[in-house]
Each structure stands twice: as C-alpha cells, then as structure tokens.
C-alpha cells in the first residue's frame, strides 16, 4: 500500500519549446502554463519571424490553451523579430478569439517596429499591451485580472 502524503503544489508549471518553422527566418515559441490562485496562466514567448506556417501554429496553440482552461495569457514578443504584415490581422483575430473563449490576453515586449505593423494593419486598438512579461507574471497572484495600456 502506498500512502499519498504529498499535496499538490498550486504553483506547478508545465513548460515546452515549440519549433513553429525552420531555417534562417524560422519561428519558435516557449510555452509555460502556471497554476495560480486566480486560475491557469499561460506564457507564450515568441521568437524569430512569423510567416503563414508559424502563424497557423500559433493559432493551434491558442486553441489548445483555451481548451485546457488557461484563462489568462501573456504573449511575450521581446524576441519576436518580424511578422509578415499580411498576417497581422489574422494573428490579432486569433488573439481576440482566445480572449472571447477563455479570458484575458496581454502582449508584452512589442518593439516599435511590431507596434507599427499592428497599427498600420488597424489592429493596435485590439491589443492589450504591457512593457514586460516578468513584471506582469509576478503581479498575477495578487491581481484579479491584468491591467493594461491601450493605444490611443
């Protein structure tokens, strides 16, 4: 007989690296899911260049996170170099769909260049932005939701 004396740690996290596309202009992501008192919080850190194949992978990840009960998602773009400008509206739609199905989405670490791409595509007003992911993730247990800054 095995006695179970351990209790489950509410802060247990799961992490995985995703290769979205390969090559010199490839894209990758690090996905972390944290159990917090406010619910499941996801961190999706994007890297590289987002083309059609990578964008479709991001959509699949967002759908999977929503199905798995992630209610708050931080998308860290601090290492994201480029998004094909034709895909910006599609990416913004995917983030909006996640928000409608599951909860809050916050974009962090967007460079001026990436913000300009979202602004030119007419999608910047749909984004909730935060300067960096680490400050936001540290504040999550104390906050009921994410605060954010919106473009004017």
């Amino acid at each position: 007989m095995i006695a179970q004396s351990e209790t489950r740690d509410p802060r247990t996290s799961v992490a995985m690296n995703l290769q979205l596309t390969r090559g010199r202009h490839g894209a990758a992501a690090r996905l972390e899911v944290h159990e917090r008192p406010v619910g499941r919080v996801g961190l999706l850190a994007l890297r590289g260049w987002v083309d059609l194949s990578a964008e479709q992978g991001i959509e699949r990840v967002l759908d999977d996170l929503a199905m798995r009960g992630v209610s708050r998602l931080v998308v860290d773009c601090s290492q994201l170099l480029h998004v094909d400008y034709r895909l910006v509206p599609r990416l913004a739609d995917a983030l909006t769909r996640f928000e409608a199905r599951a909860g809050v989405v916050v974009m962090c670490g967007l460079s001026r260049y990436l913000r300009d791409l979202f602004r030119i595509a007419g999608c910047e007003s749909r984004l909730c932005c935060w300067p960096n992911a680490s400050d936001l993730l540290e504040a999550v247990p104390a906050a009921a939701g994410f605060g954010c800054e919106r473009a004017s």
Side-chain angles (χ1 to χ4, degrees):
M1 178 177 203
I2 298 173
Q4 302 235 352
S5 60
E6 296 180 36
T7 59
R8 187 171 175 211
D9 181 9
R11 297 182 59 92
T12 302
S13 63
V14 175
M16 66 182 72
N17 294 316
L18 306 169
Q19 187 71 41
L20 300 170
T21 57
R22 298 186 186 281
R24 191 173 125 225
H25 295 293
R30 172 142 177 105
L31 175 62
E32 298 178 5
V33 177
H34 302 273
E35 297 289 339
R36 299 287 171 91
V38 295
R40 287 191 178 140
V41 177
L43 171 64
L44 181 63
L46 301 173
R47 295 188 299 273
W49 294 54
V50 174
D51 59 5
L52 179 60
S53 179
E55 193 279 331
Q56 290 170 337
I58 293 168
E59 283 187 40
R60 286 190 300 270
V61 168
L62 293 173
D63 290 341
D64 190 54
L65 289 173
M67 286 182 1
R68 294 180 187 275
V70 172
S71 60
R72 290 167 176 77
L73 178 64
V74 178
V75 182
D76 183 357
C77 299
S78 60
Q79 295 181 352
L80 184 62
L81 301 174
H82 177 73
V83 177
D84 184 331
Y85 73 93
R86 296 167 293 191
L87 300 174
V88 170
R90 187 173 168 159
L91 183 59
D93 289 343
L95 292 167
T96 302
R97 275 194 315 273
F98 176 88
E99 200 166 31
R101 284 177 56 195
V104 180
V105 177
V106 178
M107 303 280 285
C108 298
L110 281 171
S111 66
R112 282 192 168 149
Y113 167 71
L114 290 173
R115 274 191 183 233
D116 285 346
L117 284 179
F118 279 91
R119 182 181 51 80
I120 290 168
C123 301
E124 189 180 34
S125 63
R126 296 192 287 173
L127 300 178
C128 182
C129 297
W130 195 267
N132 63 49
S134 60
D135 290 345
L136 186 60
L137 285 173
E138 289 172 5
V140 167
F146 292 142
C148 62
E149 58 186 42
R150 295 225 183 240
S152 55

